[in-house]
Amino acid sequence: MTTVSAAEREIERLLSLHPKGFDLSLDRIRRLLDRLGNPERRMPPVIHIAGTNGKGSATAFARAALEASGRIVHVHTSPHLVRWHERYRIGEDGGGKLVEDAVLADAVARVAKANGGEPITVFEILTAVTFVLFSEDPADAAIIEVGLGGRYDATNVIEKPAVSLIMPISLDHEAYLGDRVELIAAEKAGIIKRGCPVVVGQQPFDAAREVLADTAERLACPLSIYGEDFLAFEENGRMVYQDHDCLFDLPLPRLAGRHQIANAAAALAAVKAAGFPVSLRTAEAAMERVSWPGRMQRLAPGPLAELAPKGAEIWIDGGHNPGAGEAIAEALAAEEDRSPRPLFLIAGMINTKDQRGYFRAFEGMARHVYTVPVDSSDAGVPNAELAARAMEAGLSAEPVHSVANALMLLRDTLDRGRDGTEPPPRILICGSLYLIGSVLAENNTPPV
């Protein structure tokens, strides 16, 4: 039987009292933070990160670079994969660690008491918890990832960020943010504050980049744009990073996928813009040490992984929109070039995502797709419906009951048909962070 921690009990109690999801406004959290003595004003310098894709990777690279230079760094990310504690990494000498359960439970209880039962969302309470935790432990920097959008995200009460970093923008959360990239970019640009440095990561759409640049110029912000003020590329199996001050020859990022080169470059530029020097040695160490659970991650040995065909290579990735699908497909194509294997997908998604657009990135690559329910979300797409979306995108697909069911079915199918000439499969479990969280939990390999 799974033991529920004190912090989890506190958060579950709040979930029973307050509405789920987002309610885009800053009035409630400002009221709450005022009652708490405005902890958001007592944090270390903040690297504030928004974007449709790449926020988590940029967070991981920025943390790796700062810690490699001996800095103490707090990190806030969302959502979590397995446990709520993953949202809060408390910095300390030699690298941070996830918040201790008693500390988190106490912070949640204090924030809830200060709210006094007034209308609020749980995400807003948990964001206030971030500011309380990060204001009470000394650190050199805090990296804070936006939850949704930017302008009205609960994290956007930060008045003077050391830098605002905006990663690639594409269509996602259209019901909240708009159905054109320039509208979404305008929402993300809401984290830009007058006179504070801004770094714009690689943008797939010119319209988004123009909105971000115009906003930074209007607010008199020092601005660095990928492809103009800094860039990075692969050369001879290495990563070359260049900006106005330096030219670094670095190892390729430890995170899989060519898109991680641009993500790493944006993070390095943001760390520098925030006022932290980055040496060649620091940048090298960051590329080699960086870690980001649930994004192009090899699934470690565990009870679930043991159900796969012998010798199978299993990847997990929680990216869930067409832009993420394209990046994942490109990363898998690079793996195919290095080591050819038949590719199979095990996918689960929620109904706010462009499922057909996501699957389209894998046309001509994936041999077959097994679609599964997403148990952790009441917005999960039924597996039969998701299989239909995959087939509409040109893929062979069938619904199955679970990831375990898919792995065993794949093992039995391949064992019957294998003639010894084809290598073991490459399996991607994908489509939802909810799904990836349940996979890590079932495999007994949660993030640490």
Side-chain angles (χ1 to χ4, degrees), residues 159 192 246 282 297 302 314-315 327-328 338-339 362 412 416 420 423 431 443 448:
E159 297 172 349
I192 297 174
C246 68
T282 292
Q297 175 188 348
I314 307 175
W315 295 83
I328 298 163
R338 283 191 286 269
S339 173
F362 300 94
D412 293 344
R416 284 198 306 270
N443 199 50
V448 294

Side-chain angles (χ1 to χ4, degrees), residues 117-184:
E118 293 199 36
I120 199 164
T121 66
V122 173
F123 181 78
E124 288 168 323
I125 289 179
L126 295 180
T127 300
V129 167
T130 301
F131 301 142
V132 168
L133 291 172
F134 290 5
S135 67
E136 294 178 347
D137 271 288
D140 299 304
I143 305 171
I144 295 182
E145 183 183 326
V146 165
L148 174 64
R151 185 188 311 277
Y152 295 114
D153 184 76
T155 65
N156 201 32
V157 294
I158 300 164
E159 297 172 349
K160 291 287 183 181
V163 65
S164 299
L165 169 58
I166 303 181
M167 297 302 288
I169 293 170
S170 59
L171 291 174
D172 198 11
H173 298 295
E174 292 97 321
Y176 291 100
L177 305 178
D179 58 1
R180 302 198 311 275
V181 291
E182 56 267 36
L183 296 177
I184 295 176

Side-chain angles (χ1 to χ4, degrees), residues 362-374:
F362 300 94
E363 186 178 7
M365 291 181 59
R367 183 172 296 187
H368 192 65
V369 182
Y370 297 97
T371 57
V372 298
V374 179

Side-chain angles (χ1 to χ4, degrees), residues 61-122:
F61 281 116
R63 172 193 157 206
L66 287 164
E67 290 184 345
S69 65
R71 299 317 199 285
I72 296 174
V73 189
H74 298 324
V75 182
H76 166 267
T77 58
S78 67
H80 61 279
L81 293 174
V82 179
R83 302 178 71 219
W84 293 95
H85 307 66
E86 298 164 31
R87 297 177 180 231
Y88 313 97
R89 182 171 290 274
I90 307 300
E92 57 183 33
D93 286 325
K97 62 181 181 181
L98 300 186
V99 65
E100 294 178 0
D101 185 69
V103 174
L104 179 57
D106 174 69
V108 172
R110 281 189 285 147
V111 172
K113 182 178 179 181
N115 185 61
E118 293 199 36
I120 199 164
T121 66
V122 173

